[in-house]
């Protein structure tokens, strides 16, 4: 059932008027451009009622629109109330947010429109795109440092988590963090050739992505559900490193761990004042702060845009993507334990539903039983994402999340999809299985399952030259489906972190353009 957002939107529009804004943009992301976010950062879900992981909302004086991709078209249509226009991102006739805003201003005769946003939750590249598109039509992007959705949310907004951080032992990580830091500093010592300008002299690398920080420093946390990360920033120069984090999260063991690499610890928000203070010296030196496109606009504004150099990928990203021998061995071991849990679950499910004839096991019960089986395994920490347990038509909802009271009972005579995974100290899993326990599947169900299996086999057996991207090999998986006039509206496979985010770049197997410029390499873990 849709959430009634009338009152929330009315309060937000009152704030727009107070700030002399004509539109306000609410992204899904947090200050670190995280895919999964903490409850306190769920601003787009709060204002719109749509709870999918991907989406963006725009609110004007008289309209509200939400963009999401093909994974969530059905869910969004069910969750948005009558205040909202659903914009189906990726379809030919769907305008971009910039096009829609400009068109709405034109339709109302608005000139010199002011479009507000919180600079902390938009990355520098999308901010540039928005600014340029608006300026081309005589409108203006306006940074509003106090988030207006937070003001509407008020005291009901959850606090930012501050959970304990732990050390990931080298026996799991495969390399010490001091060795990783040394490689970053080697990279900083050379002219930076990535990005718009070439041969840029680096002053420091600024890291904002939470999984980059966790991987680099061999630390793990739990500030975001399902993702073993913690809220922090880091600034690394050729001489020192500073981790900006709430020190109450750090135990004596963590402080001792960081001391071995002479890493300074400062409060989380202190990075803004520190980079602003360093800007004068950096400007005189002719060097620049190195960031990647995920860095938030607020941090760039604090540094000064002329003092930042945006690279396609910071050096941590490719190093993290290519797993070392210890990490690969950990993936193998964790997947064996994970497979045992899945087999145990499916065997139990078949016995209860088919042999015993039970009719009271619903999709959430299945999630709970499977999690209990996984928890019996060594090194289990938690799930890697909310389990997608869908019976019959619910299995067709991409990223479906069952809820007690509204979910279906699991029907053994219908197709059942289970997409699930776990976090173990030695690896992260993400496994999708589609089963049919009783009776005969329909001819179409057999055809679709066969074509998917054929595509999976083709991809698994494919031989391709060095330098080939996931964009190219994606066609191996889709070919059999295409032969029957079928396709699926999501990627074929994605990178997976090592006891880190279940979705990890930069590589993927996908028809999206983002996978075109990243070559698949030995040591990369990918789902398919």
């Amino acid at each position: 059932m849709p959430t009634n957002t009338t009152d929330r939107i009315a309060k937000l529009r009152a704030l727009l008027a107070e700030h002399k804004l004509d539109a306000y943009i609410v992204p899904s992301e947090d200050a670190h451009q995280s895919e999964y976010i903490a409850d306190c950062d769920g601003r787009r879900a709060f204002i719109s009622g749509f709870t999918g992981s991907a989406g963006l909302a725009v609110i004007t004086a008289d309209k509200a629109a939400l963009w999401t991709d093909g994974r969530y078209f059905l869910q969004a249509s069910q969750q948005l109330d009558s205040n909202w226009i659903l914009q189906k991102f990726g379809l030919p006739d769907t305008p971009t947010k910039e096009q829609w805003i400009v068109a709405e201003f034109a339709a109302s005769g608005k000139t010199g429109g002011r479009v507000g946003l919180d600079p902390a939750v938009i990355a520098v590249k999308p901010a540039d795109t928005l600014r340029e598109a608006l300026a081309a039509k005589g409108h203006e992007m306006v940074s509003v440092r106090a988030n207006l959705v937070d003001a509407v949310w008020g005291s009901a907004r959850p606090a930012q988590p501050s959970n304990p951080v732990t050390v990931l032992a080298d026996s799991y990580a495969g390399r010490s963090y001091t060795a990783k830091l040394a490689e970053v500093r080697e990279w900083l010592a050379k002219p930076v050739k990535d990005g718009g300008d070439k041969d840029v002299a680096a002053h420091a690398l600024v890291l904002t992505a939470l999984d980059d920080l966790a991987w680099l420093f061999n630390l793990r946390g739990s500030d975001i559900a399902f993702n073993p990360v913690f809220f922090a920033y880091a600034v690394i120069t050729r001489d020192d490193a500073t981790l900006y984090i709430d020190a109450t999260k750090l135990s004596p063991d963590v402080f001792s761990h960081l001391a071995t690499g002479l890493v300074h610890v400062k409060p989380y928000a202190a990075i803004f004042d520190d980079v602003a203070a360093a800007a004068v010296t950096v400007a005189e030196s002719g060097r620049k702060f190195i960031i990647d496109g995920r860095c938030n606009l607020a941090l760039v504004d604090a540094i000064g845009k002329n003092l930042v150099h945006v690279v396609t990928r910071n050096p941590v990203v490719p190093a993290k993507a290519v797993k070392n021998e210890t990490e690969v061995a950990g993936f193998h071991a964790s997947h064996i334990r994970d497979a045992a849990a899945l087999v145990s679950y499916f065997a139990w499910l078949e016995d209860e539903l088919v042999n015993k004839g039970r009719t009271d096991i619903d999709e959430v019960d299945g999630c709970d039983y499977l999690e209990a089986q996984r928890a019996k395994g060594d090194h289990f920490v938690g799930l890697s994402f909310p389990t997608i347990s869908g019976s019959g038509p619910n299995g067709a909802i991409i990223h479906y999340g069952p809820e007690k009271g509204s979910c279906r009972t699991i029907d053994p005579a219908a197709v059942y999809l289970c997409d699930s995974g776990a976090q173990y100290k030695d690896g992260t899993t993400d496994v999708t299985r589609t089963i049919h326990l009783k009776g005969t599947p329909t001819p179409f169900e057999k055809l679709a399952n066969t074509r998917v299996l054929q595509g999976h086999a083709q991809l698994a057996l494919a031989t391709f030259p060095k330098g080939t991207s996931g964009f190219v090999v994606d066609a191996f998986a889709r070919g059999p489906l295409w032969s029957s006039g079928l396709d699926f509206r999501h990627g074929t496979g994605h990178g997976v972190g090592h006891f880190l985010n279940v979705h990890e770049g930069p590589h993927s197997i996908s028809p999206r353009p983002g996978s075109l410029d990243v070559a698949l390499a030995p040591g990369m873990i990918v789902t398919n």
Side-chain angles (χ1 to χ4, degrees), residues 215-351:
W215 180 86
L216 178 62
F217 291 104
N218 285 355
L219 297 173
R220 297 296 188 267
S222 59
D223 283 347
I224 296 179
F226 311 107
N227 297 263
V229 297
F230 47 88
F231 287 112
Y233 294 100
V235 176
I236 301 158
T237 71
R238 285 177 285 179
D239 304 312
D240 59 22
T242 303
L243 183 64
Y244 294 88
I245 187 171
D246 177 2
T248 62
K249 300 179 179 183
L250 309 183
S251 66
D253 285 346
V254 175
F255 275 110
S256 177
H257 171 76
L258 293 172
T260 62
L262 303 178
V263 177
H264 308 290
V265 175
K266 288 193 173 185
Y268 175 71
I271 187 173
F272 293 94
D273 289 338
D274 281 3
V275 295
V280 175
T281 303
V282 173
E284 292 173 350
S285 72
R287 298 179 179 275
K288 292 192 175 185
F289 288 89
I290 308 301
I291 62 171
D292 67 21
R294 297 168 295 175
C295 182
N296 65 63
L297 179 61
L299 196 49
V300 172
D301 288 344
I303 297 170
K305 190 166 185 180
N306 61 321
L307 294 179
V308 300
H309 178 70
V310 184
V311 295
T312 305
R313 291 174 197 92
N314 71 61
V316 171
V317 173
K320 171 163 54 70
V322 177
K323 275 48 179 178
N324 60 50
E325 291 182 0
T326 300
E327 290 172 321
V328 171
F331 270 105
H332 280 291
S334 61
H335 265 280
I336 290 171
R337 294 192 300 274
D338 202 66
L342 278 165
V343 170
S344 176
Y345 168 53
F346 290 140
W348 170 81
L349 195 63
E350 183 175 30
D351 186 46

Side-chain angles (χ1 to χ4, degrees), residues 55-75:
L56 178 140
V58 179
I59 299 91
T60 67
D62 60 355
K63 289 184 181 178
L66 180 128
W67 281 256
T68 192
D69 62 43
R71 296 172 296 170
Y72 296 111
F73 290 168
L74 180 57
Q75 180 180 339

